[in-house]
Amino acid sequence: MKLKCCVLLLLVSLVVSAKRWTPTDVEQVIRKVNTYWQANNKAEVRAFWDNAAYHTGNVEVYKLLTDEPMLEYSQRWAEHNQWKGATETDPAKWKYKNYGEGQDYVLFGDWQICFQTYIDLYMLKQRNEERVARAKEVMGYEADSQVNDYWWWADALYMVMPVMTKMYKLTGDRKYLDKLYHNLLYSDSIMLDAETGLYFRDGKYIYPKHKTEAGKKDFWARGDGWVLAGLAKVLQDMPEDYVRKPWFVHKFTRMAHSVAQLQQPEGFWTRSMMDPHQAPGPETSGTAFFCYGLLWGVNHGYLRHQEFDPVIERAWKYLTETALQKDGKVGYVQPIGERAIPGQKVDANSQANFGVGAFLLAACEYYRKLKSGK
């Protein structure tokens, strides 16, 4: 009896001691993280994927807080890049079939994610055609093309899928939704795992051709984080009457359930999701993207809060108590890469632009959850 009482008292004390967050608390975290990033990193950097991923989070902060100075940072970035991604003017020279950072990789998704922010800035602030002219040129070319093999790595599903739905909202032309669907069918054919609904990072990592050191499937957390977050962003902009929307909803909810089952007790997802020993310890970017995607699903009725709230709360606890440092730095972000690397050091000082963007997305969605009372 005494043992049972002690256990009960311990559980009660843990519940009482757990922080009860308010929207104001979350807003303070958002401001702390974003102020730290903007104060320590110049806006005038290239429009490649890593910088652009930060701005997807910053724009979400503006939508929530309408903080003009914070949005001005994204405005300066866009102007510095002349509202373009890769700048090659001759479509005959445009590339995408392998990795490339050159200005001729116009159709490569890592140079297209910037269009998300350009379109948002156009819709939010000033409807100047200069802001979306390059997006219309490039994405219109892609939507009208006869090939669908553009998205051959999982990251592209965050980089470009939301661009397609934003292009639909910008133009009203459903060809962007149809191209999104057909491009994603190709992605599914080369890297979707039929058993789980999760994605291998690309064709090199398909099981059983590639395995973890323990022989397990090697799902890279940030790669699947890109996909779940990308699907959430797609669903929020996809019209209700689009004939293929139920297909996207099923993909999102199935993936969310698989993701939730692989969370570690401490709230994070390890870099190799099914094999915590492949690259042990916390990782923030994948965790934050998952937290955002699950929060968005709960907030919009696609996921049951009774089932997913505990997963979300554990992830948020990790993000704010381990990943977030006292000065506003977001740590434990795996550096740029494409897989879980055994022995790679990730610690409190491991920060990256895309990790901050992911954190901001999750924080904004958590604020909305608290505000709605869900």
Side-chain angles (χ1 to χ4, degrees), residues 30 35-36 54 60-61 98 123 130 148 153 289 296 315:
I30 292 169
T35 298
Y36 178 88
Y54 161 76
E60 206 61 31
V61 170
N98 48 46
M123 301 292 280
E130 175 197 16
N148 301 309
W153 74 113
F289 280 125
W296 188 90

Side-chain angles (χ1 to χ4, degrees), residues 325-344:
Q325 307 305 302
K326 291 182 179 180
D327 58 3
K329 179 187 297 182
V330 176
Y332 295 96
V333 177
Q334 183 188 4
I336 291 174
E338 64 179 42
R339 64 187 177 93
I341 303 172
Q344 183 182 39

Side-chain angles (χ1 to χ4, degrees), residues 6 21 46 63 74 123 133 140 150 157 163-164 221 232-233 277 280 322:
C6 289
W21 288 83
R46 65 179 181 163
K63 290 177 182 178
S74 288
M123 301 292 280
Y150 293 102
L157 303 186
V163 176
M164 289 299 196
K233 289 169 74 67
H277 301 292
T322 301

Side-chain angles (χ1 to χ4, degrees), residues 50-275:
D50 55 329
N51 297 313
Y54 161 76
H55 288 280
T56 63
N58 189 45
V59 167
E60 206 61 31
V61 170
Y62 177 78
K63 290 177 182 178
L64 187 73
L65 305 180
T66 60
D67 188 303
E68 297 292 342
M70 285 186 175
L71 192 68
E72 176 63 22
Y73 185 88
S74 288
Q75 176 86 14
R76 285 162 44 207
W77 172 73
E79 290 173 349
H80 173 75
N81 289 289
Q82 299 180 307
W83 305 91
K84 297 178 180 179
T87 57
E88 172 59 52
T89 58
D90 183 358
K93 298 179 180 178
W94 291 355
K95 299 177 182 178
Y96 69 91
K97 287 195 173 182
N98 48 46
Y99 180 85
E101 300 184 22
Q103 295 303 316
D104 51 350
Y105 276 80
V106 176
L107 298 174
F108 182 46
D110 286 4
W111 277 118
Q112 295 176 336
I113 178 177
C114 58
F115 297 141
Q116 291 190 42
T117 295
Y118 300 167
I119 294 170
D120 282 341
L121 288 170
Y122 172 89
M123 301 292 280
L124 285 168
K125 300 298 294 180
Q126 183 181 352
R127 301 209 169 188
N128 183 333
E129 187 63 22
E130 175 197 16
R131 299 182 170 205
V132 293
R134 183 63 168 176
K136 287 182 176 180
E137 178 187 16
V138 172
M139 303 316 299
Y141 177 96
E142 183 168 326
D144 291 335
S145 69
Q146 298 302 305
V147 297
N148 301 309
D149 60 348
Y150 293 102
W151 305 339
W152 47 264
W153 74 113
D155 315 35
L157 303 186
Y158 184 85
M159 309 305 165
V160 199
M161 286 200 306
V163 176
M164 289 299 196
T165 45
K166 289 180 185 295
M167 287 300 299
Y168 160 73
K169 291 187 72 176
L170 178 67
T171 66
D173 195 332
R174 294 196 175 211
K175 72 179 182 181
Y176 294 103
L177 303 179
D178 293 336
K179 193 65 173 181
L180 161 60
Y181 171 73
H182 289 294
N183 282 0
L184 186 52
L185 284 181
Y186 173 78
S187 302
D188 287 1
S189 74
I190 62 170
M191 55 188 170
L192 175 66
D193 179 58
E195 182 183 9
T196 61
L198 298 174
Y199 283 78
F200 297 105
R201 195 272 179 176
D202 59 54
K204 298 191 301 293
Y205 297 101
I206 301 297
Y207 181 89
K209 180 175 68 174
H210 169 84
K211 306 174 184 178
T212 68
E213 292 180 349
K216 298 181 180 180
K217 291 181 178 180
D218 196 7
F219 295 112
W220 181 45
R222 184 157 71 237
D224 277 285
W226 289 125
V227 181
L228 189 69
L231 287 168
K233 289 169 74 67
V234 160
L235 288 172
Q236 70 186 21
D237 285 340
M238 185 174 282
E240 288 301 321
D241 64 349
Y242 182 56
V243 66
R244 295 186 175 104
K245 186 162 189 177
W247 183 84
F248 283 89
V249 171
H250 174 73
K251 178 178 287 291
F252 172 76
T253 55
R254 185 178 183 219
M255 188 176 190
H257 281 89
S258 292
V259 164
Q261 292 171 13
L262 297 174
Q263 186 185 38
Q264 298 301 304
E266 300 88 346
F268 58 82
W269 282 262
T270 51
R271 283 161 275 176
S272 184
M273 295 167 65
M274 277 191 170
D275 190 347

Side-chain angles (χ1 to χ4, degrees), residues 289-302:
F289 280 125
F290 287 146
C291 188
Y292 163 71
L294 299 179
L295 276 161
W296 188 90
V298 167
N299 285 347
H300 292 83
Y302 292 103

